[in-house]
Amino acid sequence: MPETTWWKRGIVYQIYPRSFQDTNGDGIGDLQGISQRLDYLQWLGVDAIWISPIFPSPMADFGYDVSDYCGIDPIFGTLDDFDRVLEQAHSRNLKVILDFVPNHTSDQHPWFLESRSSRTNPKRDWYIWRDPAPGGGVPNNWISNFGGPAWEWDEATGQYYYHAFLKEQPDLNWRNPEVREAMFDSLRFWLRRGVDGFRVDVIWHLIKDAEFRNNPPNPGYQSHQAEINKYLQVHSADQPEVHDVIAAMRQVLEEYEDRVLIGEIYLPLERLVAYYGKDLSGAHLPFNFQLIQTAWNAHEIEKLVNEYEGVLPDGGWPNWVLGNHDQPRIGARIGKAQARVAAMLLLTLRGTPTMYYGDELGMTKVEIPPESVQDPWEKNEPGLGLGRDPARTPMQWDSSPNAGFTPGEPWLPLAPDFQTCNVEVLSQDSGSVLCLYRRLIDLRRRHLALSIGQYLPVQSGGQVFAYERRHGAERLLIVLNFGHAAQAIDLPDGVGKARVLLSTVRSGDWHVEAGCLDLAPDEGLIVALEEG
């Protein structure tokens, strides 16, 4: 793929549709709301929107339990509404990526209703059914990602079915060729409509161990952790055969021009990069969540970036993610001052960045009263702080009631600071984090060194992480202070002139004398270098 391919040079913006913009007053965002806010996304400067699931669903897991892969849930609107989003986005040069959930369906999907109707039904093998263990009980020790056994007893047919998540989300049997073809036809349904690609949910789960062996105990498990961590997921996910499935999925996208396949994968780097596939036949972008999981200090982040760059396969394009609908917001994890540094990091590293709605406003954790909890994971394992609701609260558009999100009662509470932390207020404050994001995006668009240039590490030390991005004769130095005290670093040898193009905390741009670069606390700088 040439480096000018849109998904290499562009920025992806994730929309959680329930929380983006409501237009009918039911307190839940909808497709007409996304259409209404496309001008904002164009103003911000992103290149693609990824929309979390909008398919028909009983909403046991808010759309990640799909009952029809070729429709739109009435909560969000109609197929006509979706086609309008697609048309209006494309008219603004915005690509549209859909969330595809192939590992499991809803237990209300017609396929599963057939599958559980009898052992002899033609769709019985479309799902994973097993007899009880010798002596009775669940077939093995696999745990649901949301807590409790991953097996649900079906009284009518006398077998268990497997669910990696909720019991309302039975796993499909991707070893069955009929399942593959049915799911690939679902992809084609959306590709024919003009969708530009897919983010594939839990793609590393698609194939399970053929012998259904027990997972080994996790020696590092601690009682405050989620129950899924009791065992190492050796046999229930990340099986070698999954790469053949992903390559076949990629081939479906190759039937259409200029589409992208993104895979959700929570694995260590050395296993993650295998999902690029043999000869890059797998996912174009296996999602790299390491910035979410790594300790926030200069040493660990530098180590991570260099390790990732080192293990990428030849021709594999990197990508970076700071937040999503399953993780605490970046502002909640590292604080508002460092969130500005994180914005510069995300938008200056080599590779495709994915932004999460509201992070550009500096949204943080919103406390959810017990009576307002919606997330099934929090309900299944209360008290462990696993709830995802605090990262899914409504987008804050203005200072009007309910932040301009809905004329009704929002499905989740709003942040208490929405009257000052919103698009309308922050867009008029040149020093705001929103305007910082916009300037970063503009710089990335104007400088090929930032969008498709080389990455070169720079020795720094202390709480400073520095690196260069180069394209042709252009050299840009990025210097990030992860500490809360002022720092100074030497400019690279041979630099005659340097000019600060952007600071995360100071306004304007300025020239720097060759030799030393001063950093304020919690500051990031983008510096243009000239040899001399």
Side-chain angles (χ1 to χ4, degrees), residues 459-474:
Q459 189 170 0
S460 47
Q463 278 301 310
V464 175
F465 174 32
Y467 50 93
E468 275 193 47
R469 300 295 310 281
R470 292 187 188 181
H471 187 273
E474 184 175 48

Side-chain angles (χ1 to χ4, degrees), residues 146-332:
F146 290 154
W151 297 95
E152 182 71 10
W153 176 249
D154 183 64
E155 190 69 39
T157 58
Q159 283 188 314
Y160 287 91
Y161 67 84
Y162 176 68
H163 57 93
F165 296 88
L166 298 174
K167 64 182 177 61
E168 294 87 357
Q169 296 170 291
D171 278 41
L172 285 161
N173 176 17
W174 272 85
R175 294 182 183 273
N176 185 326
E178 292 180 349
V179 168
R180 297 188 190 191
E181 283 311 306
M183 295 301 279
F184 293 163
D185 283 344
S186 300
L187 291 174
R188 292 184 182 100
F189 174 85
W190 297 104
L191 290 164
R192 287 193 298 268
R193 295 190 97 85
V195 165
D196 299 289
F198 299 92
R199 173 268 191 189
V200 183
D201 188 58
V202 296
I203 200 170
W204 84 107
H205 273 265
L206 293 183
I207 296 289
K208 289 77 175 169
D209 178 48
E211 299 176 31
F212 293 92
R213 289 170 287 184
N214 282 335
N215 281 324
N218 179 3
Y221 174 71
Q222 298 179 21
S223 59
H224 66 272
Q225 294 178 320
E227 190 177 3
I228 185 65
N229 294 308
K230 279 186 176 180
Y231 299 96
L232 302 174
Q233 310 304 302
V234 172
H235 300 302
S236 52
D238 192 30
Q239 300 302 292
E241 303 96 317
V242 76
H243 299 292
D244 293 333
V245 172
I246 297 170
M249 192 179 295
R250 166 76 173 268
Q251 285 301 307
V252 174
L253 271 73
E254 298 288 350
E255 296 170 14
Y256 303 81
E257 188 177 357
D258 213 17
R259 312 301 166 96
V260 67
L261 183 67
I262 304 170
E264 182 197 27
I265 305 158
Y266 282 94
L267 290 173
L269 285 176
E270 67 274 9
R271 289 159 65 192
L272 169 72
V273 295
Y275 285 77
Y276 284 97
K278 184 180 179 182
D279 299 323
L280 302 182
S281 61
H284 294 103
L285 299 174
F287 256 154
N288 171 14
F289 298 122
Q290 300 298 315
L291 286 178
I292 296 174
Q293 300 168 323
T294 300
W296 196 259
N297 63 68
H299 174 73
E300 292 299 326
I301 298 297
E302 180 177 22
K303 178 181 171 184
L304 160 66
V305 174
N306 292 333
E307 181 185 352
Y308 182 51
E309 285 280 351
V311 298
L312 283 166
D314 288 345
W317 189 251
N319 71 92
W320 297 95
V321 182
L322 274 178
N324 61 34
H325 60 290
D326 288 329
Q327 303 294 332
R329 286 193 177 274
I330 183 65

